[in-house]
Amino acid sequence: MQNDTVINITSLKKIYDNGFKALNGVNLEISRGEIFALLGPNGAGKTTLISIVCGIVRPTSGTVVIGGYDNIQQYRQARTLVGLVPQELSTDAFETVWDTVSFSRGLFGKPAKPQYIEDLLKRLSLWDKKGEQIRYLSGGMKRRVMMAKALSHEPEILFLDEPTAGVDVELRKSMWAQVRSLRETGITIILTTHYIEEAQEMADRVGIINNGDLILTEDKNTLMRTMGKRKMIFILREELTAIPTGLSSYPLTLEKDENGGKLILTYDAESENDISDVLDNLKSNGIRPKDIYSHQSSLEEIFIKLVGTK
Ligand SMILES: Nc1ncnc2c1ncn2[C@@H]1O[C@H](COP(=O)(O)OP(=O)(O)OP(=O)(O)O)[C@@H](O)[C@H]1O
Ligand SMILES: [Mg+2]
């Protein structure tokens, strides 16, 4: 185990009581301070994996070591290091924000530390709601209260299981900002999401899980560079009937635009050619583009290629 590893998951398997195989032997290391996004379709095993790491579900076999503590043999020490915001939100409607967050801290046997709770509520933009009963808060605020509860005992690692499911775009963006600001305090963050854009936006590293197998873990930028494709798209001034023979050695394809004119020339930018060469050759073959733009495939396109579904 490397020094900066905070979670080490080895050969983790889960077969539920009804015989369903939810995890088929997952290996994963999480580094201190990273934001790791676990992506996968419904039923892939994301919640199962998180629940096992947090000690809520027992694995069939395999081990989870958190900060050096085995999460079964040394449950208490391991559990203290993690905070979890579960997929299904549940809050005590009649409690105030302050009380519910303080109470959560107490559950971990930690002595009261009002200054920490105050800073936490301020950081999550909940300070002005500290005396409010939870039932009077908006959905977005309730989620932030769940985050405050999960962080109340000063864990080193925060798990967010679908933090923004069913949340509107604006609120989602503000959640992302909150999560980033938490990371700046040194917390390691592991989140699951259906929103590929969310992983693309936030994660340092991405894991893709499908049918209980972690099929890939990769640095996000590396993933997008190696699996993604880049294209140059030329919008032509005049229609072409075919690609001129002088350009036949280039990876060019001619496509129709929405009006049916053969005006879109696409160049696969992964090939070896220098783009300025291509431009020179287009010109010498009498082709002068009206417009040029580049297209980089998104994490979503890569995900669909790997998993075959959204
Ligand atoms: N208690 C259980 N008993 C039997 N099967 C279960 C149980 N909990 C989950 N499963 C099954 O295990 C598989 C993985 O479920 P899990 O909740 O981990 O998926 P998920 O990736 O979190 O999905 P979602 O994106 O819908 O939240 C699913 O097929 C689910 O039906
Ligand atoms: Mg889930």
Side-chain angles (χ1 to χ4, degrees):
M1 192 149 96
Q2 291 171 3
N3 269 347
D4 64 346
T5 301
V6 281
I7 300 182
N8 201 348
I9 299 170
T10 313
S11 308
L12 203 64
K13 288 191 185 164
K14 177 64 186 177
I15 305 173
Y16 280 109
D17 291 344
N18 63 0
F20 187 86
K21 288 186 181 153
L23 295 178
N24 306 317
V26 168
N27 295 296
L28 177 63
E29 274 190 26
I30 301 291
S31 304
R32 191 176 299 280
E34 72 173 333
I35 299 185
F36 183 86
L38 194 58
L39 273 171
N42 283 126
K46 302 181 295 295
T47 298
T48 302
L49 180 59
I50 282 191
S51 303
I52 292 175
V53 176
C54 293
I56 294 163
V57 168
R58 257 190 113 81
T60 305
S61 61
T63 56
V64 176
V65 178
I66 304 172
Y69 300 110
D70 183 285
N71 87 326
I72 294 176
Q73 313 298 336
Q74 295 158 296
Y75 173 78
R76 281 178 62 85
Q77 294 96 319
R79 185 67 184 86
T80 307
L81 296 177
V82 305
L84 167 67
V85 180
Q87 188 166 5
E88 306 297 337
L89 296 185
S90 62
T91 41
D92 336 272
F94 295 94
E95 294 249 39
T96 64
V97 171
W98 178 271
D99 287 350
T100 198
V101 175
S102 305
F103 179 71
S104 288
R105 180 179 171 91
L107 289 179
F108 283 87
K110 294 242 170 166
K113 196 171 172 188
Q115 189 59 52
Y116 174 75
I117 305 287
E118 179 176 334
D119 291 345
L120 183 59
L121 294 182
K122 283 181 177 162
R123 205 183 320 131
L124 291 168
S125 314
L126 286 168
W127 183 239
D128 59 336
K129 300 285 175 192
K130 64 179 187 300
E132 199 79 80
Q133 286 184 19
I134 288 165
R135 61 185 167 145
Y136 297 130
L137 302 181
S138 72
M141 290 172 195
K142 282 184 187 144
R143 274 171 200 274
R144 295 208 298 271
V145 172
M146 295 293 289
M147 276 167 79
K149 280 178 71 167
L151 292 167
S152 64
H153 61 288
E154 301 173 68
E156 292 179 15
I157 307 151
L158 178 65
F159 286 89
L160 301 166
D161 196 357
E162 306 272 348
T164 58
V167 167
D168 69 40
V169 179
E170 205 174 320
L171 195 53
R172 211 179 296 161
K173 295 207 163 135
S174 84
M175 291 282 296
W176 296 346
Q178 301 280 3
V179 170
R180 279 198 207 97
S181 86
L182 286 175
R183 192 263 286 274
E184 280 161 23
T185 67
I187 290 179
T188 306
I189 293 162
I190 297 154
L191 60 99
T192 75
T193 182
H194 278 125
Y195 299 111
I196 296 163
E197 188 201 350
E198 187 158 283
Q200 184 167 339
E201 191 63 34
M202 303 236 307
D204 302 310
R205 212 151 59 96
V206 172
I208 296 180
I209 186 165
N210 193 28
N211 293 326
D213 292 310
L214 191 61
I215 55 178
L216 177 143
T217 53
E218 187 63 274
D219 174 83
K220 181 192 64 194
N221 293 329
T222 309
L223 181 66
M224 294 191 58
R225 202 170 52 238
T226 55
M227 302 256 339
K229 280 188 191 293
R230 218 157 56 78
K231 288 177 182 168
M232 297 297 300
I233 297 162
F234 304 102
I235 308 299
L236 309 182
R237 272 177 212 286
E238 288 143 32
E239 209 176 326
L240 279 184
T241 46
I243 293 169
T245 46
L247 291 168
S248 61
S249 62
Y250 290 114
L252 289 164
T253 43
L254 185 61
E255 287 161 46
K256 292 179 182 169
D257 68 7
E258 71 263 22
N259 300 319
K262 286 190 175 173
L263 283 163
I264 302 177
L265 199 56
T266 303
Y267 171 74
D268 176 359
E270 278 173 309
S271 65
E272 300 289 301
N273 304 305
D274 184 338
I275 194 74
S276 59
D277 265 8
V278 181
L279 282 168
D280 287 350
N281 271 289
L282 286 179
K283 203 170 166 192
S284 60
N285 279 274
I287 300 173
R288 289 195 311 124
K290 187 169 69 179
D291 207 352
I292 304 174
Y293 53 97
S294 70
H295 171 80
Q296 169 82 47
S297 53
S298 64
L299 193 54
E300 176 154 350
E301 289 167 84
I302 298 167
F303 181 73
I304 292 169
K305 198 154 67 181
L306 284 167
V307 177
T309 173
K310 263 206 247 183

